[in-house]
Amino acid sequence: MRPQPVSGATAAADPLFQLPVRYEDRTHVTPLGALIAGTRVVVEAEVQVADVVFRRRRALLVRLSDGSGFLNLRFFYFSRAQVEGMARGTRLRCAGEVRRGPQGLEMVHPEYRRVGVTPEPLDDRLTPIYPLTEGLTQGRARANANRALARLAANPAQDLLPHHIVEKLELPTLTEALEFVHRPPKGTSLAALASGRHPAQRRLAFEELLAHQLCMQQLKQRAQREAAHALADDAQLTTRFLSALPFALTNAQRRALDDVERDLERQHPMVRLIQGDVGCGKTVVAAAAAARAVGSGRQAVLMAPTELLAEQHWRSLESWFRPLGVTVALLSGSQPARTRRSALEAVASGEVHITVGTHALFQAGVSFHDLALVIVDEQHRFGVQQRLQLKEKGRRDSIVPHQLIMTATPIPRTLAMTAYADLDVSVIDELPPGRTPVRTVVVAEERRSQVVEGVHRACREGRQAYWVCPLIEESEELRAQAAEETATTLAEALPGIRVGLVHGRQPARAKEQAMQEFKAGHIQLLVATTVIEVGVDVPNASLMVIENAERMGLAQLHQLRGRVGRGAQESSCVLLYRGPLSQTARERLACLRDSNDGFEIARRDLELRGPGELLGTRQTGLAELKVADLIRDADLLPAVREVAEQLLRGNDALVAPLAQRWIGGAEEYGRVG
Ligand code: ADP
Ligand code: MG
């Protein structure tokens, strides 16, 4: 859920809430003799000599002295007036970072001004450093903030939170908090400021988290006020579906399905998230929910993030439902026009009961006959907007479809309550019986040939393997190219082994074909990019090699690894890395080697990389926080929830101004809702 670009009508961002990214202490002058490389200081000294030199680039070099030592200034951009203002004996006050230069300590492009001999006053506050946008200088940003602070002092009504709440939390008022963060008094420790735990900072973090929480809870309240069809499943299709399955649901699946069925029987829309580790079997639960919609004479739709996954879901659902007389159709962006047109017609007429597709589902031209249930798989790949758009497609007057959302990114409980405050959550915390945990080993690139030999042996023994190619960020094109090269090299190194290839740049048909051949066992080694990360289910595959594992996130590696270990045979995963490894990279790979538990891994990922990465930037506005930090400020979350509930019970007049202030208009929280 990235913030949408704010429309032109919205006022420019309030400088009060454009907060400094860091601070500098310019409250005292440091003698040149006491300078330490790597620190930011203010110095005052006389120009000894100023020269324009030509080394690799034209530069203005100025040598300063204050009797205690020397300092060089280096400018790469300068005017003639600047050079002329540097006559010998001129006194300068400079602020900047001290670095080790070719001729001793230096400052590059310091902020400076000329001063007289009589001492001039220094700052009595720490100096805020603002994030700069086009056309803004630090000076102007500081002036804007100061003007805004003066306005705030004159109009304290901008402090929106009721006094008793802030008092109970023992936090300062908004005015005090903003005055402090924009102009911290002399003597405030820079380290304390950087830690973000000062009460003033916590006051702002609290308000920011509250703004998000209010928006999400309001979204939930609004959803609950809407009406939906109660799905009674008079045709008993769910029961028939479940008894025709070749396996029984696990207890955890049963519990999740019970939650879903209870919701679906009500005349209000369900908005439920099913969280469960990779391989726990979310698809059947979703299919059982779809059966209830169809058994009630209505339609369901399942949206997947990739064509590969949509195609796979379509095949599973087809095989489960066809014997029951239920029609399942696939809608994908890359279908031949004619196939797509006839699918669209069948969906619109109600002839198709369950539609499976990618985001192509919310294109214009897709309309449903009577859509009662929207299922979104791997929701972290979508924005909330997209889910809500799909829901809107099913709206008939005031009746909206139920929503079931599935994710394999397990996140810790408080974070889930915050990130998914607009959803009800069910957790599937059990894997189907008979799985053996995946054995994971971490292997250096130097031993690649041994790994290739291992793959050879495994394939000759009748096992199937994935080879996941390096994550190349630059482009899908380069990724595809790397995958093709790897496939060629491996095919040469593995005589007699049938090697296949899937990557994002192939036509959908080629991808599907490769997957089908792999599933059928015709392909023994499937070389792939990370397109196979989500959802792909080939139970016979029992070996996976992941190249450049050190460059991937833990959650992503765990997802990838979840492609093996789906059958009864022992599976293994080889994490190939290119050294040298940083300490964090080493810890991450070790964590994956030592754990198969998605929740544990997610917790570590959160510690190591922060919530933005884990949640996926698009998933939630919380990944875009300005002041608050979900880990650091986790202890605020219970109070945030409580206050949000309290405020929404009273009146919700605060929601819009708080959202405007912190989120920049409520667009991203789904006006569509
Ligand atoms: P995920 O939760 O990662 O989406 P899937 O829905 O793809 O997992 O299920 C993984 C595999 O487990 C599939 O092959 C599915 O048919 C199988 N499966 C699901 N539930 C059970 C069960 N209760 N018993 C045995 N196998 C199951
Ligand atoms: Mg899945």
Side-chain angles (χ1 to χ4, degrees):
M1 182 163 46
R2 282 191 82 80
Q4 305 293 311
V6 176
S7 68
T10 316
D14 185 344
L16 276 179
F17 296 91
Q18 299 299 305
L19 300 174
V21 282
R22 60 185 177 82
Y23 301 89
E24 286 180 14
D25 187 349
R26 299 185 185 168
T27 60
H28 62 272
V29 167
T30 305
L32 297 188
L35 293 181
I36 301 168
T39 55
R40 296 187 160 272
V41 293
V42 177
V43 299
E44 213 170 287
E46 278 182 13
V47 174
Q48 283 205 312
V49 56
D51 272 324
V52 177
V53 297
F54 296 88
R55 301 256 159 82
R56 271 193 317 226
R57 304 166 62 175
R58 183 167 169 269
L60 168 62
L61 282 185
V62 182
R63 190 161 178 82
L64 300 180
S65 156
D66 69 351
S68 76
F70 300 95
L71 176 70
N72 297 314
L73 308 183
R74 190 184 292 273
F75 298 88
F76 297 109
Y77 310 97
F78 51 92
S79 62
R80 177 180 310 189
Q82 256 176 308
V83 180
E84 283 164 1
M86 298 282 188
R88 184 183 171 86
T90 312
R91 273 186 85 73
L92 299 182
R93 180 179 287 173
C94 313
E97 185 180 352
V98 182
R99 301 207 297 204
R100 227 178 292 281
Q103 285 107 25
L105 294 178
E106 64 177 23
M107 276 185 189
V108 178
H109 280 274
E111 280 186 48
Y112 77 94
R113 65 189 170 88
R114 269 185 281 175
V115 288
V117 230
T118 43
E120 292 187 23
L122 282 148
D123 295 345
D124 61 349
R125 304 264 172 179
L126 298 189
T127 307
I129 308 294
Y130 291 95
L132 292 185
T133 45
E134 186 86 20
L136 192 66
T137 61
Q138 287 299 342
R140 221 170 298 151
R142 278 170 215 148
N144 289 346
N146 285 338
R147 264 197 308 277
L149 283 170
R151 279 198 304 270
L152 175 67
N155 174 20
Q158 290 185 57
D159 199 339
L160 296 168
L161 295 191
H163 205 62
H164 64 273
I165 288 175
V166 182
E167 233 165 35
K168 198 170 141 211
L169 293 165
E170 299 183 343
L171 292 173
T173 65
L174 182 72
T175 311
E176 288 162 347
L178 286 170
E179 176 73 24
F180 180 90
V181 297
H182 284 288
R183 304 151 46 86
K186 182 174 175 170
T188 311
S189 131
L190 286 175
L193 280 169
S195 80
R197 298 284 293 176
H198 188 280
Q201 292 166 310
R202 285 168 63 75
R203 165 65 176 77
L204 298 176
F206 180 83
E207 187 173 311
E208 181 176 34
L209 290 169
L210 183 66
H212 282 269
Q213 185 73 18
L214 283 169
C215 286
M216 286 193 280
Q217 287 194 11
Q218 195 176 53
L219 204 62
K220 182 169 184 174
Q221 281 191 349
R222 275 194 214 143
Q224 281 168 346
R225 278 199 291 269
E226 288 186 297
H229 289 295
L231 302 177
D233 193 8
D234 294 327
Q236 302 272 304
L237 190 61
T238 316
T239 319
R240 285 191 281 144
F241 165 76
L242 291 175
S243 51
L245 283 177
F247 48 74
L249 294 187
T250 62
N251 289 330
Q253 283 171 317
R254 187 63 251 179
R255 276 195 302 274
L257 183 56
D258 286 345
D259 291 344
V260 169
E261 297 197 306
R262 218 175 306 118
D263 291 348
L264 292 179
E265 281 168 5
R266 298 174 53 220
Q267 283 176 315
H268 291 286
M270 165 175 82
V271 187
R272 181 170 291 279
L273 175 77
I274 296 188
Q275 263 198 69
D277 210 345
V278 279
C280 71
K282 294 180 288 294
T283 317
V284 265
V285 176
R292 174 165 282 271
V294 178
S296 311
R298 304 183 191 278
Q299 291 174 300
V301 63
L302 168 57
M303 178 166 73
T306 62
E307 293 200 338
L308 214 54
L309 187 51
E311 153 91 16
Q312 178 190 287
H313 279 331
W314 172 65
R315 279 178 199 275
S316 316
L317 266 59
E318 256 273 311
S319 71
W320 287 331
F321 280 111
R322 192 205 289 273
L324 302 171
V326 174
T327 313
V328 186
L330 177 69
L331 270 187
S332 90
S334 58
Q335 278 168 323
R338 194 134 46 86
T339 321
R340 183 173 161 80
R341 203 166 332 112
S342 69
L344 283 174
E345 280 169 19
V347 171
S349 72
E351 190 187 318
V352 163
H353 303 112
I354 303 174
T355 310
V356 181
T358 57
H359 47 275
L361 283 170
F362 36 70
Q363 281 164 5
V366 183
S367 73
F368 294 88
H369 177 67
D370 187 1
L371 180 61
L373 172 64
V374 169
I375 303 165
V376 180
D377 193 16
E378 304 293 350
Q379 96 112 18
H380 62 289
R381 293 304 191 88
F382 294 103
V384 166
Q385 286 295 330
Q386 291 168 309
R387 165 162 66 83
L388 295 175
Q389 267 174 3
L390 198 52
K391 167 185 140 193
E392 286 307 302
K393 280 224 176 256
R395 181 187 286 279
R396 292 285 172 278
D397 304 323
S398 61
I399 309 267
V400 297
H402 298 279
Q403 297 175 63
L404 180 62
I405 298 132
M406 301 189 289
T407 179
T409 308
I411 59 172
R413 195 177 142 71
T414 37
L415 192 53
M417 289 187 341
T418 307
Y420 303 132
D422 60 328
L423 311 173
D424 292 313
V425 180
S426 301
V427 177
I428 302 183
D429 52 5
E430 181 185 352
L431 293 180
R435 302 267 174 91
T436 34
V438 179
R439 203 173 64 88
T440 301
V441 291
V442 179
V443 176
E445 176 65 30
E446 288 73 34
R447 288 169 50 207
R448 186 189 182 91
S449 58
Q450 275 164 269
V451 174
V452 173
E453 189 39 48
V455 171
H456 205 173
R457 218 173 315 121
C459 289
R460 278 199 309 253
E461 285 165 10
R463 292 168 64 189
Q464 286 179 281
Y466 293 98
W467 188 289
V468 182
C469 294
L471 186 70
I472 300 171
E473 262 123 42
E474 293 79 20
S475 74
E476 189 82 21
E477 191 67 53
L478 283 177
R479 245 177 301 194
Q481 207 178 318
E484 273 164 16
E485 280 164 22
T486 310
T488 313
T489 322
L490 284 172
E492 280 166 12
L494 302 170
I497 303 299
R498 293 181 300 276
V499 179
L501 173 67
V502 279
H503 61 66
R505 293 301 296 248
Q506 283 169 321
R509 194 103 53 85
K511 265 186 276 190
E512 281 155 26
Q513 195 179 342
M515 281 318 296
Q516 282 320 307
E517 287 181 13
F518 188 55
K519 211 161 189 166
H522 302 321
I523 289 175
Q524 294 161 284
L525 174 64
L526 185 66
V527 178
T529 56
T530 48
V531 289
I532 60 156
E533 174 184 346
V534 281
V536 169
D537 182 38
V538 180
N540 191 50
S542 63
L543 173 61
M544 173 173 279
V545 180
I546 305 177
E547 281 196 72
N548 275 144
E550 80 282 0
R551 290 171 58 178
M552 294 187 209
L554 277 182
Q556 188 181 21
L557 285 168
H558 180 63
Q559 284 281 320
L560 274 169
R561 178 175 61 175
R563 304 304 121 221
V564 293
R566 296 184 156 236
Q569 84 229 69
E570 167 125 20
S571 295
S572 28
C573 175
V574 179
L575 303 176
L576 263 184
Y577 70 87
R578 218 177 279 262
L581 288 182
S582 69
Q583 181 61 27
T584 323
R586 197 178 300 277
E587 279 175 37
R588 293 203 343 227
L589 294 180
C591 163
L592 212 72
R593 183 191 60 213
D594 299 339
S595 176
N596 266 301
D597 174 350
F599 275 86
E600 171 62 19
I601 291 168
R603 197 183 58 72
R604 293 286 294 141
D605 208 16
L606 200 59
E607 274 172 21
L608 293 167
R609 300 200 307 168
E613 293 287 341
L614 180 64
L615 294 173
T617 41
R618 282 182 307 167
Q619 185 172 9
T620 158
L622 289 170
E624 311 272 337
L625 293 169
K626 295 183 195 180
V627 190
D629 175 314
L630 285 175
I631 310 276
R632 185 189 64 207
D633 301 320
D635 57 327
L636 289 173
L637 293 174
V640 166
R641 271 177 76 89
E642 194 186 306
V643 170
E645 277 162 19
Q646 194 182 329
L647 287 176
L648 284 176
R649 267 199 305 274
N651 72 53
D652 55 8
L654 282 183
V655 183
L658 280 174
Q660 179 64 41
R661 172 178 291 175
W662 290 102
I663 306 165
E667 282 89 350
E668 76 174 295
Y669 278 105
R671 283 268 165 71
V672 241

